[in-house]
Amino acid sequence: MLKKLSMGLIILALIFGIGGCGGKTNGENQPQNPSTGQTQQEEPVQPQYLTPIPEGTPLGEANMKLSEQIMGQKDVKGTQIYEQMETVYGDITFNAGVDKAYANQLIKELLAQMKTNYPGRPLTAQAISDGQVIDSVSFKP
């Protein structure tokens, strides 16, 4: 009897645990301000390091110019723009010990340019140092 009761409680706990993990919310996929819980407004990025590439530039040429600009920045070891599972990724690999605020600003500028080059596509820009992703920003249309 005790064995059946404990098994029933375990199954009930699993059902409640799994059921509590799902469900949709009104603010699904929208960033929230942690201090107020309100949805953040997307602020336009002011370019500090990269010169915007004009809209309408052929994709291959735009990516090449963007990569050249990124490679010319301090502490940058490499860059790559690629597509994987319908998402376009822009990775910037930095030297060890890079300033995180600088890396964040550079990947935000990369993401802003990727929005122009890949309209209507989900995008992710990542800062990588020592083989680890140290920062990432994404855009979902």
Side-chain angles (χ1 to χ4, degrees), residues 16-45:
F16 281 118
I18 293 171
C21 293
K24 293 187 177 188
T25 62
N26 291 341
E28 189 175 356
N29 293 334
Q30 294 182 1
Q32 292 193 347
N33 185 337
S35 61
T36 64
Q38 296 177 353
T39 302
Q40 293 178 349
Q41 296 295 325
E42 188 175 314
E43 297 176 18
V45 176

Side-chain angles (χ1 to χ4, degrees), residues 24-133:
K24 293 187 177 188
T25 62
N26 291 341
E28 189 175 356
N29 293 334
Q30 294 182 1
Q32 292 193 347
N33 185 337
S35 61
T36 64
Q38 296 177 353
T39 302
Q40 293 178 349
Q41 296 295 325
E42 188 175 314
E43 297 176 18
V45 176
Q46 296 297 323
Q48 294 179 352
Y49 304 105
L50 303 179
T51 304
I53 296 167
E55 201 169 333
T57 304
L59 189 57
E61 183 181 335
N63 285 346
M64 187 174 65
K65 287 181 179 180
L66 186 57
S67 294
E68 288 172 358
Q69 286 186 50
I70 292 169
M71 289 302 296
Q73 302 301 315
K74 70 174 185 159
D75 289 328
V76 172
K77 291 172 69 174
T79 185
Q80 184 177 17
I81 298 172
Y82 59 97
E83 184 177 343
Q84 184 175 4
M85 304 278 295
E86 302 298 320
T87 300
V88 179
Y89 290 88
D91 295 348
I92 303 175
T93 304
F94 292 93
N95 292 325
V98 67
D99 179 55
K100 291 195 189 315
Y102 165 70
N104 179 268
Q105 177 65 28
L106 201 52
I107 63 171
K108 283 182 178 178
E109 290 184 35
L110 170 60
L111 185 71
Q113 184 62 50
M114 288 170 57
K115 285 179 185 178
T116 302
N117 296 354
Y118 298 93
R121 301 282 302 274
L123 309 168
T124 298
Q126 303 176 121
I128 301 168
S129 181
D130 287 332
Q132 303 281 329
V133 176

